[in-house]
Amino acid sequence: MSISIAILVSGRGSNMEAILEAIAEGKLNATVPVVLSNNPDAVALETARKHGVNAVAVPNRGLTREQHEDAVIAELRKYDIDYVVLAGYMRVLTPKFLTEFRDKAAGYFRVINIHPSLLPAFPGADAYGEAFAHGVLVSGITIHLVDEQVDHGPILAQESFQRFDGDTLESFKKRGLEVEHRLYPAVLQKIATHGIKLVPRQEAQAVAAPAHGRSTGA
Ligand code: GRF
């Protein structure tokens, strides 16, 4: 099956480009009716247009979060979209936005994000920098469904990469980005073929502290 995806970007757009290239090469069975950016100067918009894709800026400057999201929702409603794909979109989405893309049968939101760490480690805007500064020997990339908390939703795929002796933050990031550019199109193709498959998540159980000085008789 072919899936219709809206790609949301804020900057460089290298993941967006990897997705568009995978489509052009016949490796990803998807259409992209719109690439949308909150940043009118995003290089990603130019790159999308070079690929012949409809690219739209919905600037957030001067708007409240609600006003901006309403404008984004109004733009996205013009298209028939199966999934919203975040690729370096630097805005936190509110429950109102997510509800717009709620899969009623499954209960999750059809909004997908890529994050450059092995979540739940290093959530937030500088995952590469924080993982590198922490001295991790293995890091990785996570692709997940978006939920109401930042970098938290159900995990769709993860792939690790190593930190090598002599790595700089730049070489560490470069290795991670190569994984990102391969993994994102591959996961989207898996979704196009099989739909979303989730590993059930179990909430951590509170462990009762052992009672001291009392025999349980056991
Ligand atoms: C990527 O590292 C992605 O994992 C993170 O933001 C960065 C976006 O890069 N969410 P690009 O705009 O796709 O080049």
Side-chain angles (χ1 to χ4, degrees), residues 31-171:
T31 52
V32 182
V34 65
V35 165
L36 184 150
S37 179
N38 64 303
N39 171 13
D41 301 322
V43 176
L45 289 173
E46 252 173 71
T47 311
R49 290 184 189 120
K50 279 190 199 137
H51 282 262
V53 172
N54 174 36
V56 178
V58 180
N60 62 286
R61 183 173 284 184
L63 302 182
T64 64
R65 184 173 301 282
E66 288 68 30
Q67 286 169 335
H68 179 247
E69 273 200 350
D70 285 348
V72 173
I73 290 170
E75 179 61 30
L76 295 181
R77 278 187 183 158
K78 295 181 188 168
Y79 315 93
D80 194 11
I81 291 164
D82 296 317
Y83 295 97
V84 173
V85 170
L86 308 180
Y89 187 63
M90 302 307 285
R91 308 273 302 170
V92 173
L93 300 169
T94 70
K96 183 180 177 188
F97 181 97
L98 295 175
T99 304
E100 182 77 14
F101 293 96
R102 186 161 191 276
D103 185 308
K104 289 189 186 69
Y108 51 66
F109 307 114
R110 286 180 284 106
V111 181
I112 302 167
N113 186 40
I114 185 162
H115 183 78
S117 73
L118 290 175
L119 289 173
F122 307 112
D126 185 26
Y128 278 122
E130 286 179 18
F132 187 79
H134 191 86
V136 299
L137 298 179
V138 174
S139 193
I141 305 300
T142 302
I143 294 175
H144 65 98
L145 290 177
V146 174
D147 70 5
E148 295 87 346
Q149 296 175 53
V150 175
D151 299 328
H152 175 269
I155 291 171
L156 297 170
Q158 289 186 306
E159 187 175 318
S160 63
F161 65 90
Q162 298 237 313
R163 176 214 195 99
F164 293 136
D165 286 350
D167 258 351
T168 59
L169 177 57
E170 280 59 45
S171 59

Side-chain angles (χ1 to χ4, degrees), residues 9-17 44 86-90 113-117 124-125 128 141-142 151 173 176-177 180-181 184:
V9 292
S10 294
R12 178 179 56 184
S14 67
N15 278 288
M16 174 208 71
E17 192 166 27
L86 308 180
Y89 187 63
M90 302 307 285
N113 186 40
I114 185 162
H115 183 78
S117 73
Y128 278 122
I141 305 300
T142 302
D151 299 328
K173 262 190 193 172
L177 266 175
E180 294 195 42
H181 297 160
Y184 218 174

